[in-house]
Structures are given as C-alpha cells and as structure tokens.
Amino acid sequence: MLKIGEFSKLSRISIRMLRHYDEAGILKPQSVDSVTGYRFYGEQQLLHACKIQTLRQMGFGVNAIGEILSHYHDIDAQEAYLQAQKEYLLQKQEILKGQLRLLDSTMEWFRKGGINMGYEVTLKTLPKHYVISVRDVIPSYSVEGLLWETLHREMQAQNIPQNQSAMHMTVFYDGEYRESDVDIAVQLTTTSLMNVKLPLRSEELPEVTYAGVVFRGPYEQITQVTMAIANWVAEHGYDWDGNYFMIYHVSPAETENPAEYVTEFCCPVKKKK
C-alpha cells in the first residue's frame, strides 16, 4: 500500500489531481483510513493511473476519460474515441494556424500605420461574362471548399470541360456578415452559356464596376483589406452597389502555403450622384 504522497511521486500525478480523480470516480484509492481520512493506493493502480495520464495528454477531459475507461477492453470503441479526438485536435490546429497568421498580419498592419497598410485600391470594370456556378447555404465561410468540390465533381460528371484560363470567383449574397448559414456561390468563367443540370447553373452576368485590392497571403487579413476599400470609397465619392466577390488568382487548390495565396477582394461601386 502506498500513501497518497508516495503514489503521487510514482504516478507523476499531483495530490490535488488525485483527489479530483477520486471525486470523479476514475481513480479511487484502494482504502481510506476511517480515522485520519488518509488515502492509500495499491501498486497495481499505477497502471490505471498511467492510462489516465496518457488520455489527459491526448487532451481528453475527466468525463471523457471515465467514459473511455469504461470501454477499455473494447478495441473498436477505443479506436472510435481516439479518431474523434484526432479530428477535433486537427480542427483546433487549423484554428490556431489561422490565429497565428492573423497575429502576424495584424503586427504588420501596426508597423505600416494601420488603415490602408500599403494596400492599393484600384477601380476596375469586369466586362459582361459567362459563368458556371454552384450556389448554396453552407455552415460557415471556412467550408467554402465544399462548394468547389461540388462544382468540379458535377462538371466532371456532366462532361463539361474546364477552360484553363477561367477565373475562379466566389460571390457573397448575404446582406451582412454571418456567423453561420452563409449564402455564397462559387463560379468559373466560361466562353458562352452552357447546357447544364442542377446543381450547376450557367449564367450571363452583366458588366460590373468595382473597387478592388489584390493581396498576397492568408485570408485572415481580409478585415484590413475591407477597411482600405471602405476608406477609398469614402474619399473618392462612391457608393456600394452590389454583392462583394473575390477572385482567386492563386488559391488553396494550387498551393498549400497560405503565404502564397493571391486574392482580389472586389466591392461593386457606383459614383455618388
């Protein structure tokens, strides 16, 4: 039998956490002195403590650990728990990468004085053009890639060739920034109208004048880009005039390095009367 302090040293779990695990029911002492209240553990419990520590290091919470340990001899159940945790951690990793990129771009923004941060706003006209597109409401902006997958899959299934010089664009139809349920369309330019089946659409779109910024690097800097455009619009006497859109000159489909992205953020405008 080991006193709680001895067991703490051998298991490398603090006394505070051992008491917490006792209360949670995942690692109870083998016996408790009825007079002094001292907790005693058996040497064989060290293996159980090791399992708990390993799961904690994987990021599982106490409740999840209790659930996993109750299925410890079910290999399939164990694998399912671990796979779910892996997917969760990968999602967190992507979020952290995005936050780090935002920190870098914001520090650069501060160094360059804020507001325009060297972004060059240009007034351009996109001529009348034809597109093939998929439009849908998706859970969030971050899963836009799902629509691109649908677009390319359907084009292949309907035997529609892709023009190698086609522009890749996304149009945002919501009248506000949304945390979820985002209404967007992904588009490829084509040389003419095409005979397609849903969910594909073939459209002729009118000429549009827009204030745009071409920027290099991750998408987390879009807030600074929109600030630069808003400042330009106010200074040059323009009004907003339609749904903003993005043109992907170098996208995630062409590089896995966000630093190599080249994107054009476009806001349709018209001259104030």
Side-chain angles (χ1 to χ4, degrees), residues 28-42:
K28 288 188 166 295
Q30 189 166 310
S31 66
V32 179
D33 189 291
S34 59
V35 177
T36 64
Y38 289 163
R39 296 171 168 86
F40 294 92
Y41 294 82

Side-chain angles (χ1 to χ4, degrees), residues 26-191:
I26 64 172
L27 180 57
K28 288 188 166 295
Q30 189 166 310
S31 66
V32 179
D33 189 291
S34 59
V35 177
T36 64
Y38 289 163
R39 296 171 168 86
F40 294 92
Y41 294 82
E43 288 84 349
Q44 73 278 7
Q45 289 183 283
L46 288 169
L47 177 59
H48 191 69
C50 180
K51 295 175 183 177
I52 292 172
Q53 283 297 82
T54 300
L55 292 169
R56 286 285 288 178
Q57 290 166 359
M58 292 178 185
F60 288 103
V62 171
N63 291 337
I65 290 173
E67 181 69 18
I68 294 169
L69 292 176
S70 69
H71 297 86
Y72 202 82
H73 298 292
D74 185 338
I75 300 301
D76 291 337
Q78 292 293 302
E79 186 175 353
Y81 282 119
L82 298 182
Q83 184 61 38
Q85 182 69 356
K86 179 180 179 179
E87 292 172 2
Y88 168 71
L89 292 176
L90 287 172
Q91 291 175 357
K92 284 187 64 176
Q93 182 183 49
E94 289 305 309
I95 292 172
L96 288 172
K97 285 180 180 179
Q99 290 173 332
L100 288 170
R101 291 193 296 265
L102 180 57
L103 283 168
D104 288 338
S105 66
T106 302
M107 287 189 290
E108 183 181 359
W109 184 55
F110 287 156
R111 286 194 295 269
K112 293 185 177 180
I115 306 301
N116 289 341
M117 202 183 89
Y119 294 122
E120 181 181 357
V121 182
T122 305
L123 186 66
K124 296 182 180 180
T125 298
L126 180 63
K128 180 180 70 173
H129 55 288
Y130 302 101
V131 299
I132 187 168
S133 66
V134 172
R135 179 177 175 178
D136 202 355
V137 175
I138 58 176
S140 68
Y141 297 102
S142 63
V143 295
E144 177 186 318
L146 296 175
L147 291 188
W148 285 108
E149 291 175 7
T150 300
L151 177 63
H152 291 296
R153 183 176 63 250
E154 287 294 328
M155 287 181 66
Q156 185 176 18
Q158 298 182 36
N159 296 315
I160 300 171
Q162 179 177 325
N163 183 356
Q164 294 303 310
S165 61
M167 286 196 301
H168 293 63
M169 299 185 292
T170 297
V171 182
F172 301 86
Y173 288 100
D174 293 308
E176 60 178 325
Y177 177 85
R178 297 181 62 88
E179 298 289 344
S180 61
D181 299 326
V182 182
D183 184 6
I184 70 172
V186 297
Q187 302 177 340
L188 288 175
T189 55
T190 58
T191 56

Side-chain angles (χ1 to χ4, degrees), residues 231-239 270-273:
N231 188 52
W232 184 94
V233 168
E235 287 182 354
H236 289 78
Y238 281 85
D239 278 328
K270 61 182 178 181
K271 196 68 176 177
K272 286 182 180 291
K273 294 182 179 179

